[in-house]
Amino acid sequence: MPRHGRVVLPNWPHHVIQRGHNKQPVFHAEEEYAAYLRNLGEWKRILGCQVYAYCLMTNHVHLIINPGPKAGNLARLMKRVAGRQTRAVNARQGRTGTLWEGRYKSSPIETEAYLLACGRYVELNPVRARMVRRPEQYRWSSYRARAGLSGWGWLDPDPCYQTLGRSAPECATRYREWVRAAIPDGEWERIRQAIQRGQLTGSEQFIALAAKRVGRRVEFRGRGRPRKADK
């Protein structure tokens, strides 16, 4: 099946990843991490997007974003934040040229089945990379807010997170327990493959729903069943 363009659904969460040019670092100092988050918070408010989770790694970023009623605001948000970060880093380091890969990757997420799982995948990136032993030790992710260990600031609670309990403390406690629970076989690999290929993270039923929303076929040809996640 031929591959079509990027699929972005209005009022729907998307897993987004953007890497540094040639996989080079995009953050060199704490000020640069903090500036990226300030810009993200500012532009998501201006454009009416919601940001459910994030993790800023040395040479790439993971985000879970709901673009709101205008699907095109996902691209606008990424362009504004990336552009401002490039200008700031270039000025600080006396460099020129691009900071990021030319095109970010995104994957619409099947809400009930995968939204919490994608948030866990995003926030456990520093643990998988062996930068920290526990997610709460990493400063530049949304985990501490969602685990009830810090304030939320401009971060938005996602609809699945809000079903974990009847109060904010209960949601946070159950989220911490859920993140510590065993990861089902194949979950990380399924999420990773979806974002790398620009496919939907979800079931055949979700693919059919997305196709109906965008008015075209959106199922892509994969390479067989997902492999078990690496241990």
Side-chain angles (χ1 to χ4, degrees):
M1 182 185 304
R3 176 171 176 166
H4 299 285
R6 188 198 307 274
V7 176
V8 180
L9 304 177
N11 297 313
W12 209 272
H14 297 69
H15 180 191
V16 179
I17 182 171
Q18 189 166 27
R19 297 188 181 278
H21 182 63
N22 291 330
K23 298 184 179 180
Q24 295 176 349
V26 292
F27 302 107
H28 303 83
E30 288 192 356
E31 294 86 349
E32 294 173 359
Y33 289 93
Y36 186 96
L37 292 179
R38 285 196 303 270
N39 293 331
L40 182 61
E42 177 183 349
W43 280 104
K44 75 104 183 178
R45 177 183 56 80
I46 292 172
L47 295 170
C49 302
Q50 292 183 309
V51 178
Y52 296 146
Y54 65 83
C55 186
L56 311 186
M57 301 292 282
T58 306
N59 64 357
H60 66 283
V61 301
H62 280 273
L63 310 168
I64 296 183
I65 299 174
N66 183 332
K70 296 180 180 179
N73 278 346
L74 177 60
R76 295 183 186 97
L77 175 67
M78 296 304 296
K79 180 179 179 180
R80 297 295 186 275
V81 175
R84 187 176 286 183
Q85 190 75 8
T86 296
R87 291 190 293 274
V89 171
N90 283 355
R92 173 187 287 269
Q93 298 187 6
R95 67 187 294 277
T96 60
T98 183
L99 184 66
W100 306 91
E101 279 185 346
R103 185 174 173 85
Y104 66 87
K105 297 178 180 179
S106 65
S107 170
I109 303 166
E110 185 172 11
T111 307
E112 282 79 9
Y114 282 99
L115 184 52
L116 280 176
C118 283
R120 174 167 62 184
Y121 177 92
V122 165
E123 292 168 349
L124 287 180
N125 256 260
V127 178
R128 289 198 299 277
R130 299 183 179 180
M131 299 170 70
V132 295
R133 293 182 61 187
R134 300 185 303 275
E136 63 268 26
Q137 296 173 323
Y138 193 71
R139 182 177 177 184
W140 307 111
S141 88
S142 53
Y143 177 79
R144 289 184 56 81
R146 285 153 58 91
L149 303 175
S150 70
W152 281 74
W154 50 256
L155 189 68
D156 301 291
D158 73 66
C160 292
Y161 176 93
Q162 292 176 303
T163 67
L164 292 176
R166 290 179 289 183
S167 66
E170 186 178 2
C171 288
T173 297
R174 291 190 175 178
Y175 185 69
R176 291 196 302 269
E177 294 170 348
W178 189 79
V179 170
R180 289 196 297 264
I183 309 296
D185 284 346
E187 179 179 284
W188 279 359
E189 182 69 5
R190 183 183 294 270
I191 294 170
R192 188 183 72 83
Q193 290 289 343
I195 188 65
Q196 290 299 325
R197 299 176 189 171
Q199 299 176 354
L200 282 72
T201 307
S203 64
E204 294 293 329
Q205 291 81 3
F206 179 52
I207 291 171
L209 172 64
K212 184 176 180 180
R213 286 198 171 206
V214 300
R216 60 178 170 85
R217 299 183 72 184
V218 297
E219 183 178 6
F220 305 131
R221 179 178 296 155
R223 294 182 293 182
R225 298 175 63 85
R227 301 191 306 273
K228 288 186 177 181
D230 295 336
K231 301 297 185 184

